[in-house]
Amino acid sequence: MDQSSENTRRKKKRSFIGQIVHNLKKTFTGADKSDRKENRPYLGPRHTTNTPSTEDASPQTESFKYSSGTRKKKQKSASGLSGIKEWKRKLELRREERKKQKYKRKIKKSHAREHKRRERIDFIRKFLPNYKREKNVPFEELSAEQASEAIKQQQKNYFYYTINSTALFIIAYLLVYMLYQFAVMITASNWKLDSVLLYYDLAFNDYSPLWSRPNIIMVTLSGPLVCLITGFLFYRFFSTRKKIKGFVRLFFLWIALIGINFFFGAWATGISFDQGFGYVPAWLYLNVFWQILIALIFLFLLGIIGYYSVPKFLDTSKSAYRVKPENKNKFLFYQVLLPYLIGSFIIILVRIPNIMPYDTGNMVTMLFGLVPMAFNRYARPTITFEKEKKATDIRWWYIAIFIALILAYRIGLNNGLHFTLLYKFSFSIDITPL
């Protein structure tokens, strides 16, 4: 039977509805199903029209079916893993692309800022031709007048450093001092002990029957302990942030050293004058030998902290020239030691006529942390500076904050503030005249 007669016979066997379905399939697919079957290549006896029964099925056919199913499962799992890998690869590519875009935006902003700076300098040079031209000239090539002018500018810069650092030292001292007093007051409130805060002392009723040996130790220990924790936090974490630079880092370093000194230095001052932190060893019934030994250890630790804090203070400079080995001690003198001396003198003047030996002694013990800085000859800054020497100026808002705090401290606490702290830290404040 030829091919045309076979197609005609198959068409006669279809019903009316089957014929319609067949025509629709033929219209959308473009080929007849029977034609596709006949045009298939010969694959062996297994594909003949005489399909063998299930009884005559060979073991090879069953193994072929099983292996094909396993292969399909493996292909699905492999395609799933490849899809996950492809998704991860695309995610990494998107991340890299975002980083590149962010870096490009950063470069564009820096170029725009540099362009604006150059335009500003060029505009100023129309009126001042020598504006910012001498900075790149070596000192040896300057004339006598230019060299003397450069030396005067350097002295002005050191003078500005001293003024700004002095203001920051006084601000940091007043903040840490008030933190000390508030910690003592809050601890005393647990035993319903009221206090009067004055500009020179925190006064309690020494004859109150509420005092006992445990609460005397806890109250007098709370202030130095809180200051020690605050000092180490600022020393270890806040002053090491890369985004914090210049005078802000210097302010954090002053808070750190003053806070640490209110513990290590206050021990030696307390046992010397039998005040403040000195009540702790007294009520612990420590021998005088142990009190002095612990004081020496604390002062030694204070010196070690000051010795290794030199790189942190060198980071507060604005130029690599000022922190060179030959200029380092000069920079530390104007940036650290001289502001400490001037600031301590100002605070003592503010407390006249009531100068307490305990607070004055705490200022003196800070020398154990500042003097060792001069002996650290191998200290280097931890950040890189620009090659050009940057001129500094007076930060007037530091001066404004310093004056405001001094006035609030001296005038606001002149007559005393009476704190009555109750349960759950609710409190009332009354002005108590002397």
Short mmCIF file of all heavy atoms in Angstrom, two decimals, residues 351-379:
data_model
loop_
_atom_site.label_atom_id
_atom_site.label_comp_id
_atom_site.label_asym_id
_atom_site.label_seq_id
_atom_site.Cartn_x
_atom_site.Cartn_y
_atom_site.Cartn_z
N ARG A 351 37.53 78.91 90.83
CA ARG A 351 37.10 78.37 92.12
C ARG A 351 37.50 79.23 93.32
O ARG A 351 37.21 78.86 94.46
CB ARG A 351 37.68 76.96 92.29
CG ARG A 351 36.99 75.94 91.41
CD ARG A 351 37.67 74.61 91.47
NE ARG A 351 36.92 73.59 90.74
CZ ARG A 351 37.39 72.39 90.42
NH1 ARG A 351 38.63 72.07 90.74
NH2 ARG A 351 36.63 71.53 89.76
N ILE A 352 38.18 80.31 93.10
CA ILE A 352 38.52 81.21 94.21
C ILE A 352 37.23 81.77 94.79
O ILE A 352 36.33 82.16 94.06
CB ILE A 352 39.45 82.33 93.71
CG1 ILE A 352 40.83 81.75 93.37
CG2 ILE A 352 39.60 83.43 94.74
CD1 ILE A 352 41.78 82.76 92.76
N PRO A 353 37.02 81.85 96.11
CA PRO A 353 38.01 81.62 97.18
C PRO A 353 37.97 80.22 97.78
O PRO A 353 38.65 79.95 98.75
CB PRO A 353 37.58 82.64 98.23
CG PRO A 353 36.10 82.70 98.08
CD PRO A 353 35.80 82.49 96.64
N ASN A 354 37.14 79.32 97.21
CA ASN A 354 36.99 77.97 97.77
C ASN A 354 37.74 76.98 96.90
O ASN A 354 37.17 76.33 96.02
CB ASN A 354 35.51 77.60 97.84
CG ASN A 354 34.72 78.53 98.73
OD1 ASN A 354 34.98 78.65 99.92
ND2 ASN A 354 33.75 79.24 98.15
N ILE A 355 39.02 76.88 97.13
CA ILE A 355 39.86 75.97 96.37
C ILE A 355 40.03 74.70 97.20
O ILE A 355 40.66 74.72 98.27
CB ILE A 355 41.22 76.61 96.06
CG1 ILE A 355 41.02 77.89 95.24
CG2 ILE A 355 42.11 75.63 95.30
CD1 ILE A 355 42.31 78.64 94.97
N MET A 356 39.49 73.60 96.69
CA MET A 356 39.54 72.34 97.42
C MET A 356 40.85 71.61 97.10
O MET A 356 41.23 71.49 95.92
CB MET A 356 38.36 71.46 97.04
CG MET A 356 37.01 72.08 97.35
SD MET A 356 36.76 72.39 99.11
CE MET A 356 36.67 70.72 99.71
N PRO A 357 41.56 71.13 98.09
CA PRO A 357 42.83 70.42 97.82
C PRO A 357 42.65 69.16 96.99
O PRO A 357 43.53 68.81 96.19
CB PRO A 357 43.35 70.09 99.23
CG PRO A 357 42.64 71.04 100.14
CD PRO A 357 41.30 71.28 99.52
N TYR A 358 41.50 68.49 97.16
CA TYR A 358 41.28 67.24 96.42
C TYR A 358 41.20 67.50 94.91
O TYR A 358 41.86 66.80 94.12
CB TYR A 358 40.00 66.58 96.92
CG TYR A 358 39.63 65.31 96.19
CD1 TYR A 358 40.38 64.16 96.36
CD2 TYR A 358 38.52 65.27 95.34
CE1 TYR A 358 40.05 62.99 95.69
CE2 TYR A 358 38.18 64.11 94.68
CZ TYR A 358 38.95 62.98 94.85
OH TYR A 358 38.61 61.83 94.17
N ASP A 359 40.42 68.49 94.49
CA ASP A 359 40.30 68.79 93.06
C ASP A 359 41.59 69.36 92.49
O ASP A 359 41.98 69.04 91.36
CB ASP A 359 39.15 69.78 92.85
CG ASP A 359 37.80 69.18 93.21
OD1 ASP A 359 37.64 67.96 93.03
OD2 ASP A 359 36.92 69.92 93.70
N THR A 360 42.27 70.20 93.26
CA THR A 360 43.54 70.74 92.78
C THR A 360 44.58 69.64 92.64
O THR A 360 45.38 69.62 91.69
CB THR A 360 44.05 71.82 93.75
OG1 THR A 360 43.02 72.81 93.94
CG2 THR A 360 45.30 72.50 93.22
N GLY A 361 44.59 68.70 93.60
CA GLY A 361 45.52 67.57 93.50
C GLY A 361 45.25 66.69 92.29
O GLY A 361 46.18 66.16 91.68
N ASN A 362 43.96 66.54 91.93
CA ASN A 362 43.63 65.76 90.73
C ASN A 362 44.18 66.40 89.47
O ASN A 362 44.54 65.71 88.51
CB ASN A 362 42.11 65.60 90.62
CG ASN A 362 41.57 64.63 91.66
OD1 ASN A 362 42.30 63.77 92.16
ND2 ASN A 362 40.30 64.77 91.99
N MET A 363 44.22 67.72 89.44
CA MET A 363 44.83 68.40 88.29
C MET A 363 46.34 68.18 88.25
O MET A 363 46.93 68.01 87.18
CB MET A 363 44.52 69.89 88.34
CG MET A 363 43.07 70.23 88.09
SD MET A 363 42.82 72.02 88.08
CE MET A 363 41.07 72.08 87.75
N VAL A 364 46.96 68.18 89.42
CA VAL A 364 48.42 68.01 89.47
C VAL A 364 48.82 66.61 89.02
O VAL A 364 49.83 66.43 88.33
CB VAL A 364 48.94 68.32 90.88
CG1 VAL A 364 50.43 68.00 91.00
CG2 VAL A 364 48.67 69.77 91.24
N THR A 365 48.04 65.61 89.39
CA THR A 365 48.40 64.23 89.02
C THR A 365 48.34 63.98 87.52
O THR A 365 48.90 63.00 87.03
CB THR A 365 47.48 63.24 89.74
OG1 THR A 365 46.10 63.58 89.47
CG2 THR A 365 47.73 63.22 91.23
N MET A 366 47.68 64.86 86.77
CA MET A 366 47.67 64.69 85.31
C MET A 366 49.07 64.83 84.71
O MET A 366 49.33 64.36 83.59
CB MET A 366 46.73 65.70 84.66
CG MET A 366 45.28 65.25 84.60
SD MET A 366 44.36 66.10 83.31
CE MET A 366 45.10 65.42 81.84
N LEU A 367 49.97 65.48 85.42
CA LEU A 367 51.34 65.60 84.93
C LEU A 367 52.00 64.24 84.77
O LEU A 367 52.89 64.06 83.93
CB LEU A 367 52.16 66.47 85.89
CG LEU A 367 51.88 67.97 85.84
CD1 LEU A 367 52.63 68.67 86.97
CD2 LEU A 367 52.30 68.55 84.49
N PHE A 368 51.58 63.25 85.58
CA PHE A 368 52.15 61.90 85.45
C PHE A 368 51.76 61.26 84.12
O PHE A 368 52.42 60.31 83.69
CB PHE A 368 51.69 61.03 86.62
CG PHE A 368 52.33 61.38 87.92
CD1 PHE A 368 51.74 62.31 88.77
CD2 PHE A 368 53.52 60.80 88.30
CE1 PHE A 368 52.33 62.64 89.98
CE2 PHE A 368 54.12 61.13 89.51
CZ PHE A 368 53.53 62.06 90.34
N GLY A 369 50.69 61.75 83.49
CA GLY A 369 50.31 61.23 82.19
C GLY A 369 50.80 62.06 81.02
O GLY A 369 50.84 61.57 79.89
N LEU A 370 51.17 63.32 81.28
CA LEU A 370 51.59 64.21 80.20
C LEU A 370 53.11 64.30 80.04
O LEU A 370 53.61 64.39 78.92
CB LEU A 370 51.01 65.62 80.42
CG LEU A 370 49.48 65.72 80.49
CD1 LEU A 370 49.06 67.15 80.72
CD2 LEU A 370 48.84 65.16 79.24
N VAL A 371 53.83 64.29 81.15
CA VAL A 371 55.29 64.43 81.07
C VAL A 371 55.94 63.26 80.31
O VAL A 371 56.87 63.49 79.52
CB VAL A 371 55.88 64.57 82.49
CG1 VAL A 371 57.40 64.52 82.46
CG2 VAL A 371 55.41 65.89 83.12
N PRO A 372 55.52 62.00 80.49
CA PRO A 372 56.17 60.91 79.74
C PRO A 372 56.05 61.03 78.22
O PRO A 372 56.77 60.34 77.50
CB PRO A 372 55.45 59.65 80.24
CG PRO A 372 54.97 60.01 81.60
CD PRO A 372 54.60 61.45 81.51
N MET A 373 55.15 61.88 77.74
CA MET A 373 55.03 62.04 76.29
C MET A 373 56.32 62.55 75.66
O MET A 373 56.65 62.22 74.52
CB MET A 373 53.88 63.00 75.95
CG MET A 373 52.51 62.49 76.31
SD MET A 373 51.23 63.66 75.81
CE MET A 373 49.77 62.80 76.41
N ALA A 374 57.06 63.37 76.39
CA ALA A 374 58.30 63.94 75.85
C ALA A 374 59.38 62.89 75.66
O ALA A 374 60.35 63.12 74.92
CB ALA A 374 58.81 65.06 76.76
N PHE A 375 59.27 61.73 76.31
CA PHE A 375 60.31 60.69 76.24
C PHE A 375 60.01 59.63 75.18
O PHE A 375 60.83 58.74 74.97
CB PHE A 375 60.47 60.03 77.60
CG PHE A 375 60.88 60.98 78.68
CD1 PHE A 375 59.94 61.56 79.52
CD2 PHE A 375 62.22 61.32 78.85
CE1 PHE A 375 60.32 62.44 80.51
CE2 PHE A 375 62.61 62.21 79.83
CZ PHE A 375 61.66 62.77 80.67
N ASN A 376 58.87 59.72 74.53
CA ASN A 376 58.54 58.76 73.47
C ASN A 376 59.10 59.28 72.15
O ASN A 376 58.41 59.92 71.35
CB ASN A 376 57.02 58.57 73.39
CG ASN A 376 56.65 57.37 72.54
OD1 ASN A 376 57.48 56.81 71.82
ND2 ASN A 376 55.39 56.97 72.60
N ARG A 377 60.38 59.02 71.90
CA ARG A 377 61.07 59.57 70.74
C ARG A 377 60.73 58.82 69.46
O ARG A 377 60.97 59.33 68.36
CB ARG A 377 62.58 59.54 70.96
CG ARG A 377 63.06 60.46 72.08
CD ARG A 377 64.55 60.36 72.27
NE ARG A 377 64.94 59.05 72.80
CZ ARG A 377 66.20 58.68 73.04
NH1 ARG A 377 67.19 59.51 72.78
NH2 ARG A 377 66.46 57.48 73.53
N TYR A 378 60.22 57.60 69.56
CA TYR A 378 59.94 56.79 68.38
C TYR A 378 58.47 56.84 67.96
O TYR A 378 58.06 56.08 67.08
CB TYR A 378 60.35 55.34 68.64
CG TYR A 378 61.81 55.20 68.99
CD1 TYR A 378 62.21 55.03 70.32
CD2 TYR A 378 62.79 55.25 68.01
CE1 TYR A 378 63.55 54.92 70.66
CE2 TYR A 378 64.14 55.12 68.33
CZ TYR A 378 64.50 54.96 69.66
OH TYR A 378 65.84 54.85 69.98
N ALA A 379 57.70 57.69 68.58
CA ALA A 379 56.28 57.77 68.25
C ALA A 379 56.09 58.42 66.87
O ALA A 379 56.78 59.37 66.53
CB ALA A 379 55.53 58.57 69.30
#
